[in-house]
Amino acid sequence: MGWSTEETEAATQGGGGASGAAQETAGVPAQGGAQPPVALSPSRAGDFMQCPLLYRFRVIDKLPEKPSAAATRGTVVHAVLERLFDAPAAERTAAGARAMVPGEWEKLLARRPELAELFEDDADGSRLGQWLAEAEALVEQWFSLEDPTRLEPADRELYVETVLDSGLRLRGFIDRVDVAPTGEVRLVDYKTGKAPRPQFAESALFQMKFYALVVWRLRGVLPRRLQLVYLGSGEVVTYDPGEADLRAVERKLLALWEAIRVATETGDWRPRPTKLCGWCDHQAHCPEFGGTPPVYPLPVRAAEADPAGGPGDAPREPQAPPVRPADGDGGPQGRMERIV
């Protein structure tokens, strides 16, 4: 389709860390290795909305993170589902796909030898065997949700990037793009976990709306359908976006980017404690756990005096917009369906 491709945003699907944030600061002169952010992806937008300090650790400080067995398994599964379509339609079988799992793990391990630490205490190989079996089961689950013999994706693991009129650069990777003979576009994302309850589904849909916005601005074509395939629970969630949806996402991203800009200039990256903190790799650097963040590596402008307080008051935390549908443009909103 004429769009450029690059390495995936992160070596582990949905993971963060230095490798996952590298694109967000690409092309900016470094100061002691640190660079201000220049672009936004769905995962990094999610980081900031979850916790501004987490965003800083990943994008600006580029602190290392331990590899995750679950995320790495997701990378292997994604690789199988991507490369399965290299074969003729009649050869895309569940047995054949399962057989690809060990090979894709070996390829990933060759690229990222540090992943071997996931199984360094697995002398008899039983944990690795169980892990591979779980990946194979996820791959086989996909065949109960979609029929690859009837699919011919237009693109797989597609890197997309566009610059909005405001100057904000958006980028990311789409697992699969399907184009119907009539020209309608479907964007598909594979999830190796379980589908969230409906009240928590908007976070995943935000990612897909982000991609839809990029495609719309890049091609001038509004994607007809967004599809999330949850292999962990055997569900497919679809959403049909409208122009009002995507304009609302664009406004949300502009507000989010402004909050990131202010935090970058002031150095004010405050933690936002949630239940997810228990899984964070950066507790040793987080004030919420008695840690101290690294010295801020970027220049900091003097905070403007707050008319309501003294000049010595700490700058207020930039607030990210909440993750929720917005309909300020009016017009029809999208329709979501869940298929089990």
Side-chain angles (χ1 to χ4, degrees):
M1 292 190 177
W3 295 350
S4 63
T5 57
E6 295 182 1
E7 289 298 317
T8 53
E9 181 191 8
T12 52
Q13 186 72 17
S19 61
Q23 294 185 72
E24 312 302 319
T25 55
V28 178
Q31 176 176 325
Q35 303 170 355
V38 298
L40 197 59
S41 69
S43 54
R44 299 291 78 80
D47 286 346
F48 189 85
M49 289 186 287
Q50 176 185 326
C51 174
L53 187 58
L54 174 64
Y55 177 95
R56 176 201 150 170
F57 286 158
R58 285 179 166 170
V59 175
I60 295 177
D61 297 298
K62 299 182 176 65
L63 298 183
E65 296 183 353
K66 296 177 182 178
S68 159
T72 304
R73 183 173 55 235
T75 302
V76 171
V77 171
H78 276 73
V80 170
L81 298 185
E82 175 192 358
R83 293 176 183 123
L84 178 70
F85 288 100
D86 291 340
E91 298 177 15
R92 300 170 193 164
T93 65
R98 289 182 66 113
M100 294 170 64
V101 169
E104 292 302 328
W105 160 239
E106 292 298 331
K107 291 177 186 177
L108 179 61
L109 189 59
R111 294 195 304 272
R112 297 192 62 210
E114 71 274 14
L115 294 177
E117 70 181 71
L118 290 170
F119 304 103
E120 60 185 358
D121 58 348
D122 184 30
D124 62 359
S126 59
R127 285 183 49 242
L128 174 59
Q130 177 62 31
W131 183 83
L132 290 171
E134 291 168 354
E136 292 172 4
L138 289 170
V139 167
E140 187 166 13
Q141 174 77 284
W142 178 64
F143 283 80
S144 69
L145 303 173
E146 296 190 284
D147 182 357
T149 66
R150 303 182 64 181
L151 294 171
E152 291 297 340
D155 282 291
R156 292 166 276 154
E157 282 296 321
L158 178 68
Y159 175 75
V160 292
E161 178 177 321
T162 193
V163 179
L164 302 179
D165 292 341
S166 65
L168 172 57
R169 185 178 300 273
L170 305 177
R171 53 176 58 154
F173 288 85
I174 304 173
D175 287 346
R176 198 178 85 218
V177 180
D178 300 330
V179 180
T182 55
E184 293 177 314
V185 174
R186 177 173 64 183
L187 307 183
V188 181
D189 192 72
Y190 306 123
K191 300 293 187 185
T192 51
K194 296 180 179 180
R197 287 177 289 178
Q199 62 267 39
F200 301 115
E202 182 57 29
S203 178
L205 285 175
F206 171 77
Q207 173 193 5
M208 298 304 291
K209 291 178 185 179
F210 182 110
Y211 293 140
L213 173 64
V214 174
V215 170
W216 187 33
R217 294 305 188 204
L218 196 58
R219 293 183 171 182
V221 176
L222 181 71
R224 173 68 177 80
R225 173 154 293 183
L226 311 178
Q227 181 166 301
L228 291 153
V229 182
Y230 288 95
L231 304 176
S233 56
E235 296 177 75
V236 175
V237 175
T238 64
Y239 186 86
D240 299 338
E243 290 189 12
D245 281 314
L246 302 191
R247 290 195 185 99
V249 170
E250 184 169 2
R251 292 196 306 273
K252 182 188 188 77
L253 291 173
L254 292 174
L256 184 63
W257 189 245
E258 174 62 15
I260 291 172
R261 183 193 65 78
V262 171
T264 302
E265 291 184 359
T266 63
D268 183 25
W269 303 91
R270 300 185 188 181
R272 182 174 295 149
T274 68
K275 293 180 180 180
L276 297 175
C277 292
W279 285 273
C280 184
D281 279 346
H282 307 301
Q283 294 180 9
H285 297 288
C286 180
E288 293 295 319
F289 292 86
T292 302
V295 175
Y296 190 56
L298 297 176
V300 176
R301 66 171 172 81
E304 298 178 2
D306 186 343
D313 289 349
R316 289 169 295 182
E317 178 185 3
Q319 294 296 315
V323 181
R324 63 170 182 263
D327 56 2
D329 284 314
Q333 294 300 294
R335 179 171 57 88
M336 184 172 70
E337 293 184 357
R338 182 177 297 245
I339 306 167
V340 181

